[in-house]
Amino acid sequence: MRAKNSGSKQGAVTPTAGRTFTEAARRAQIVGAAIEVIAEVGHAKASFNRIARQAGLSSTGMISYHFAGKDDLMREVVAEVMRVADAYMRPRIEAHQTARERLRAHIESNLALLDVYPKHLHAMVEVLTGVRDESPSAREFTAVTDAMLDTLINAVRRAQESGEFGDFDPVTLVYALRGSIDALVMRAARDPDFDAAAHGRRLADLFDRATRSTP
């Protein structure tokens, strides 16, 4: 599956506090290269040497200058993927009023990301599953993931309280949803003919039926 102008969709680089525009642009270049490498070879094989070559850097020293280590770079990779996903998904979800519509938009836009940014979600899943449990970044990633899941769980509970959704365990449903999306992301990485839009519709149909307040 090919990217659709994925490089141009990153947007302008905005310097953060204490960094010049050039430094911020270089960091963004390295993070983008890391995403490409992780999606291609996995988290474990994503060495600084591979990332430097992907970024067109003469040595790994430039990466070490901008990032304290691999954990630091992986945190930036996850942050960038989440930023991209939020910018893409949020307006599509918030364009709808009902919980059923928003759930469908959440699922379909999440899978649609695979067409717009084919490497990003794959890289994020690789990072989240590849870091060692005892590492500082693993604890941070767990906290971020738990916060995301809690937001979805609370949204489902509110929909149940309003009568839009039926009587089921919201925690089980949200974990099933997240697991289904992650599994499709990994399938897409192996299948060049993967139809993200079709899978998004089917998965949305499945969870729409599962959450209805009436049969």
Side-chain angles (χ1 to χ4, degrees):
M1 183 167 52
R2 296 183 183 276
K4 298 180 180 178
N5 300 321
S6 59
S8 65
K9 294 180 181 292
Q10 294 301 323
V13 178
T14 302
T16 54
R19 298 193 188 112
T20 67
F21 184 90
T22 300
E23 288 172 336
R26 179 66 77 187
R27 284 174 64 89
Q29 177 189 9
I30 294 168
V31 170
I35 289 171
E36 293 283 335
V37 171
I38 295 165
E40 180 181 351
V41 302
H43 172 266
K45 295 181 180 179
S47 66
F48 274 15
N49 282 328
R50 287 179 184 267
I51 295 168
R53 287 198 300 271
Q54 180 69 33
L57 304 176
S58 58
S59 73
T60 62
M62 188 64 72
I63 302 177
S64 298
Y65 174 80
H66 289 283
F67 298 94
K70 189 172 183 179
D71 270 4
D72 188 26
L73 178 54
M74 293 305 104
R75 282 195 292 271
E76 289 298 315
V77 165
V78 171
E80 171 64 6
V81 174
M82 291 181 65
R83 183 193 68 77
V84 166
D86 183 71
Y88 184 84
M89 293 174 61
R90 183 183 295 273
R92 289 162 174 79
I93 296 169
E94 293 183 348
H96 300 282
Q97 299 300 316
T98 70
R100 285 182 62 187
E101 291 172 335
R102 287 189 169 216
L103 177 61
R104 176 172 291 278
H106 174 89
I107 295 169
E108 291 185 347
S109 64
N110 206 155
L111 270 296
L113 272 170
L114 290 170
D115 282 336
V116 187
Y117 301 96
K119 305 292 187 180
H120 281 59
L121 292 182
H122 184 194
M124 183 166 178
V125 172
E126 284 284 345
V127 172
L128 294 179
T129 57
V131 293
R132 294 174 298 176
D133 290 341
E134 69 273 14
S135 68
S137 58
R139 292 191 291 272
E140 290 182 24
F141 297 155
T142 298
V144 169
T145 302
D146 287 347
M148 292 169 56
L149 294 174
D150 286 344
T151 297
L152 286 173
I153 291 167
N154 289 332
V156 170
R157 284 188 175 131
R158 288 194 298 271
Q160 288 178 311
E161 292 167 359
S162 69
E164 283 193 74
F165 286 175
D167 184 18
F168 53 83
D169 179 48
V171 176
T172 300
L173 180 121
V174 167
Y175 273 84
L177 173 59
R178 190 68 257 165
S180 298
I181 292 173
D182 288 349
L184 288 172
V185 168
M186 299 307 290
R187 171 65 183 272
R190 302 190 303 272
D191 183 0
D193 298 319
F194 186 86
D195 189 334
H199 281 289
R201 288 193 301 272
R202 293 167 190 155
L203 192 63
D205 288 343
L206 178 64
F207 278 91
D208 180 56
R209 289 193 294 271
T211 55
R212 287 180 187 177
S213 58
T214 57

